[in-house]
Amino acid sequence: MRLVREAVGRRADLLVARTAKFTTSGAIRLARQLEPFDPLWFEEPVPPEMPEQMAIVARGTSIPIATGERFDHQV
């Protein structure tokens, strides 16, 4: 992420999409490491059917958390 940010500077937004591959604590640890590079968002760090865990991740980082296209509005 550092190399990409250095290459593009502030001319481009950086987006992080991992499609629910992390535990809550792992997502928070990664997000904190990415904060210095100012990504626009971190998409679906944990499964979308776990909104309470997504909220914990959101409280644990300054990076906005986005839900993905897999979000089920009927939950």
Side-chain angles (χ1 to χ4, degrees):
M1 182 72 78
R2 178 182 54 79
L3 294 175
V4 173
R5 178 52 79 202
E6 288 174 358
V8 301
R10 299 293 170 186
R11 297 184 313 258
D13 290 324
L14 303 180
L15 313 173
V16 180
R18 289 298 303 151
T19 318
K21 298 294 184 193
F22 294 100
T23 62
T24 302
S25 62
I28 292 169
R29 282 195 307 274
L30 176 61
R32 288 182 179 162
Q33 291 176 344
L34 297 175
E35 285 174 350
F37 308 109
D38 194 27
L40 184 63
W41 71 58
F42 189 174
E43 181 181 1
E44 244 179 46
V46 295
E49 60 272 6
M50 300 171 62
E52 67 287 345
Q53 297 304 305
M54 203 168 294
I56 292 169
V57 175
R59 287 192 297 272
T61 181
S62 62
I63 302 170
I65 302 301
T67 59
E69 56 278 353
R70 298 181 322 134
F71 182 73
D72 183 357
H73 295 284
Q74 298 177 16
V75 174

